[in-house]
Amino acid sequence: MISGSPPDSTPSHHHFSLKRPCILLTNDDGVNSEGLWAAYDALFEWADVVVCAPATQQSAVGRSLSIFEPLRVNTVSRGDITAYAVGGKPTDSVILALFALGVKPDLVVSGINIGENLSYEAITTSGTVGAALEAANHGYPAVAFSLQIEDQKEKFDDARHLADRFSESKGVVRDVIRKILEKGFPSFTHVMNVNIPSIITGGYEITHLAEHLFITGVEKRLDPRGKPYYWINGPLVTDAPEGTDVHAIHKGNISITPITLDCTAYAGTDDLKRLFSLE
């Protein structure tokens, strides 16, 4: 199914023992998302998987935290599996799993998100990536998985019709996580952002972030009383420079982008020194 394996990672900050690993599984689509449970199916046979995810849909909340209201955790069942449903954001779910529920994972997996998370835009707004970044902030290596969708309304439809695509995606999740556990997490990387095309026609491609995922627009409408309201919308970018995550997905490749928590623009420090006469 998957060809063109990515190159071996460089010596890693995180090495894993041969014992059965513990994986914390979360997302931003909510604890009942078909994507979350597809990831669970990919992992549970050879890992101890703890599911702790938002109780409801929390897409596009980024790395926001609930600091002005209390958080509640309920248990929910899916067959004979018990999961934790958090009445908050994806980052809340990670924090409560680590610091309230006592989960000590070897690795954190976020996803499978229904909808791609590509470019500068998605990295800063995605709750899926936000959860992974939160885990990394506390010292846990993390991987975010997202599945490209053909129509944006699929994001909010019944996702069971995506069963065929989840079948392929499960294979990707299984393969990527096995590689990490066998070879170690790549150095200088806090989060691996993995985007899976709706139809895989190629192999893995190591990418960097494109600038945009959407061509942003605003649609003005009128309510029944004639007062305006607005929808932020816009079509997806259909092409981007070669080597970017957006370009890879449109080629049918599985995009893997290394992400770091350090947002410092090191290349800009010399200009700043000149600006403030510090040279």
Side-chain angles (χ1 to χ4, degrees), residues 3 36 54 57 87 89 91 104-105 109 130 140-141 148 161 178 192 202-203 212 235 245 263 268 270:
S3 62
L36 179 83
Q57 169 66 253
K89 309 292 194 297
T91 47
K104 300 300 178 189
V109 172
Y140 296 93
Q148 181 189 31
H161 72 285
R178 278 190 180 277
M192 288 171 55
H212 296 286
D245 50 2
C263 297
D270 287 344

Side-chain angles (χ1 to χ4, degrees), residues 96 120 122 236 238:
L96 290 189
Y120 303 171
L236 286 164
T238 57

Side-chain angles (χ1 to χ4, degrees), residues 30-50:
V31 73
N32 294 310
S33 169
E34 295 296 322
L36 179 83
W37 292 102
Y40 181 91
D41 288 344
L43 301 170
F44 82 96
E45 290 183 354
W46 45 273
D48 295 328
V49 183
V50 179

Side-chain angles (χ1 to χ4, degrees), residues 272-279:
L272 277 173
K273 288 176 182 178
R274 284 192 290 270
L275 179 64
F276 289 95
S277 302
L278 297 175
E279 290 188 322

Side-chain angles (χ1 to χ4, degrees), residues 31 51-53 55 71-77 82-87 101:
V31 73
V51 178
C52 186
L71 295 167
R72 298 187 186 277
V73 182
N74 294 304
T75 56
V76 297
S77 297
T82 298
Y84 297 101
V86 175
L101 303 177

Side-chain angles (χ1 to χ4, degrees), residues 148-163:
Q148 181 189 31
I149 54 177
E150 300 294 337
D151 189 330
Q152 290 302 301
K153 69 181 177 59
E154 290 180 322
K155 177 76 175 171
F156 306 101
D157 287 346
D158 186 338
R160 285 176 291 186
H161 72 285
L162 299 174

